[in-house]
Amino acid sequence: MYSPKETIELQKASEKLLKHPSNFDFTAKNLDSLKAVLRFHEYRYYVQNDPMVSDFEYDQLYKALEKIEKENPELVTANSPTQRVATVLTKTFNTVQHLVPMLSLENSYNAEDLLDWDRKAKDLSKLSEVEYCVEPKFDGASISLIYENDALVRAATRGNGIEGDEITTNIRQIRSVPLSANFSKYNIHQIEIRGEVLLTKANFKKYNDALAEQNIPPLANPRNAAAGSLRIKDPAEVRRRNLEAFLYHVSYFTLIDDEEIPEELQSHAGALQLLWSLGFRSPEKEKMVVKGIEAVITYCQQFEEGRDQLPYEIDGMVIKVNNVELQDRMGMTTHHPRWAIAYKFKARQATSKLKSVEFQVGRTGSITPVAKIDPVPIGGVTVGSISLFNEDVIREKDLMIGDTVLVERAGDVIPYIVKSLADARTGNEKKILFPSNCPVCKDVLVKVEEEAAWRCNNINCEAQVVERMIHFTSKDAMDIRGFGDANIKKFFELKFLHDIPGIYTLPFEKIQQREGFGEKSITNLQTAIENSKTQPIHRLIFALGIRFVGETTAKTLAQTVKHILEFEKFSVEELQVLEDIGPKVANSIYQFFHNDDNILMLQKLESLGVQLANKKRASLSGSILDGQTFLFTGSLPTLKRSDAEEMVEQNGGKLLGSVSSKLNYLVVGEDAGSKLEKAKKISSVKIISEADFLHLLRK
Ligand code: IVH
């Protein structure tokens, strides 16, 4: 897409603009250059995954463009980076017809299937060896894009293959999809491109974590999340989900000048290359062109082995005859092309028997039904317990004890029950009875209108007390390693531990006498407890387990005060002014800080040495890393990347998005890649380890 020379020029232009964003002197020509710079950074970030500016710098440029366009609306063009954002809600999605039917693919499951298919391909083509292009089968939602005169004019879902929903506005929110692309350079007037929209595993997790914060059952897998996202009526929400789009097939095109069919479109690999060169995220880097089926099989197996390391889900590979003329000769059946086949990876689904349902009490009192199934291996893990989230899920899925159920476990995602197989019922299945009393303290369960969960409202319910302590010590909260669920439960049963402050007054002399507690494990636990006292206060806020307050909200809250107890003085209205805090969350925070027991607990924690004051706000001036720039690469041995980045900012340092002469420190972890190589070439960049980094902070 961008030659090295263009890259350097655009980066220089970008640096120049960043130096003087406020007095950026616009003329139509300068404005084009600002847009070109922004498009370039979008491409580096979303297509290449290798940004050259930090998010902050990008935002500055973006805001400069927004400002100019606001003052001069006549200068706004449809392909301006600002024009992705739509604020108007979609009422209904119009049905549109695809230029060419969107067929599905024939499936294969093993080497024999592929050998059979290759034999047919050789017969049909009369060749002794066929050239194939092999690429991942992306597990998302399929889309079709139409570009006319270089502009994106329409995007649609697959629908029934003949007609789909028009979703142009939503697709414009996906920043790796170019709003315009130089097809005319290839003599192309109109082109229809097929692809797949997906959510990376990381974004999917982020999304589900946010749902969990609101006690909403998570989405089952990234595929469903992507499909659902395309049909959201609020484009801003679509944008927030950070979807990705891989474009892998040119299904139709017309030419400007009928004489010249671009050479690139005569092979599938050429088409992928053409799309890549125009700024699309095609599987250019993932694909492989090979001769003969043996090499295809090897490549498929290699990819299957590395599947878990990919940042997104794939459910197989797609093998395509590379030569387009040969594709046309081979033609299609009513359902699928004969020139392509899917090679499906081993299923991450299995069937099993639903033996029983247990009801667990969470730290906020919500009752979660958990299905116990006959343990089955799925994708390398044995699954025996599956959360059913709430009563509605049981009803919607029509689950009964004794049912045969279909279970799926996608990658890192927690397993879930897809459905029960009603046809396999014998008549001996039993209804699942939701309890009316708390399974632990026997209090009557209540259900608030509009909420899916039944709840035990006894905050002294032993199950809740234990769950709150487990949450308090967990990795993303106070991170007290060496505790674990089992020890907390054990200490609670032995009456060594009654409540959260009790964590800091554990009777170690008694614990020492119990079997299973060696000197070393005790010292480790003591150190972890001691270290937790100085955790940043956003961790403590999260650790308190306030309803609806997840890690993100905890960070927002932490940035607001110098001391946690200041929240005693906040009104619901004042809380609602904070970023992303709505009435429900504000109310819950208000309730928490207006409960005497909670305040007493916080005071007790403080008297035991736990830090309730905000170190970050107290030490903003004269910070150790003042003005120094940092970038992290590779996986760090002990720190979470987000924590390390926060430490930089807390201490007055700045984070950069890429390696350049502006970078002071590159902190290198394991498996560092191109950033390290680049940094080695710039003598002013100091390459340091995590230990060096921590040392800098201690200075
Ligand atoms: S090619 C006419 N390539 O898999 C050929 N499809 O089961 C069009 N898919 O409907 C399809 N990755 O949604 C092709 N690299 C890839 C793909 C891919 C995922 C999806 C696509 C299709 C389905 C077929």
Side-chain angles (χ1 to χ4, degrees), residues 295-428:
V296 167
I297 295 169
T298 312
Y299 194 56
C300 288
Q301 287 166 345
Q302 269 173 13
F303 241 91
E304 182 158 12
E305 276 164 29
R307 153 188 210 191
D308 285 337
Q309 273 72 53
L310 289 176
Y312 46 81
E313 287 289 346
I314 64 174
D315 60 340
M317 302 296 283
V318 182
I319 301 108
K320 297 172 181 173
V321 167
N322 195 29
N323 184 313
V324 171
E325 196 241 335
L326 182 51
Q327 288 184 357
D328 292 343
R329 267 195 284 143
M330 293 172 77
M332 55 187 81
T333 71
T334 42
H335 300 296
H336 42 72
R338 289 199 190 89
W339 49 264
I341 193 165
Y343 171 83
K344 300 275 275 184
F345 289 160
K346 267 178 233 63
R348 281 170 157 173
Q349 285 190 338
T351 53
S352 180
K353 271 258 161 5
L354 175 53
K355 304 294 269 186
S356 62
V357 174
E358 279 179 9
F359 296 88
Q360 293 181 354
V361 189
R363 68 185 149 86
T364 58
S366 59
I367 309 292
T368 306
V370 177
K372 298 284 165 182
I373 59 165
D374 270 340
V376 273
I378 313 175
V381 175
T382 302
V383 179
S385 257
I386 304 174
S387 171
L388 297 172
F389 306 108
N390 59 48
E391 193 185 16
D392 298 346
V393 173
I394 298 177
R395 211 172 325 112
E396 278 157 22
K397 299 206 167 159
D398 180 29
L399 300 178
M400 292 178 88
I401 309 281
D403 263 347
T404 305
V405 288
L406 182 63
V407 181
E408 181 169 324
R409 192 193 137 263
D412 314 333
V413 182
I414 51 165
Y416 75 103
I417 292 188
V418 183
K419 58 179 178 182
S420 66
L421 306 177
D423 291 348
R425 281 188 180 153
T426 59
N428 293 331

Side-chain angles (χ1 to χ4, degrees), residues 103-105 135-138 142 158 196 248-249 318 320 337 339:
L103 302 179
S104 62
L105 295 172
E135 67 202 36
K137 184 169 185 306
F138 303 100
S142 40
R158 178 176 188 275
E196 206 83 357
Y248 47 63
H249 180 59
V318 182
K320 297 172 181 173
W339 49 264

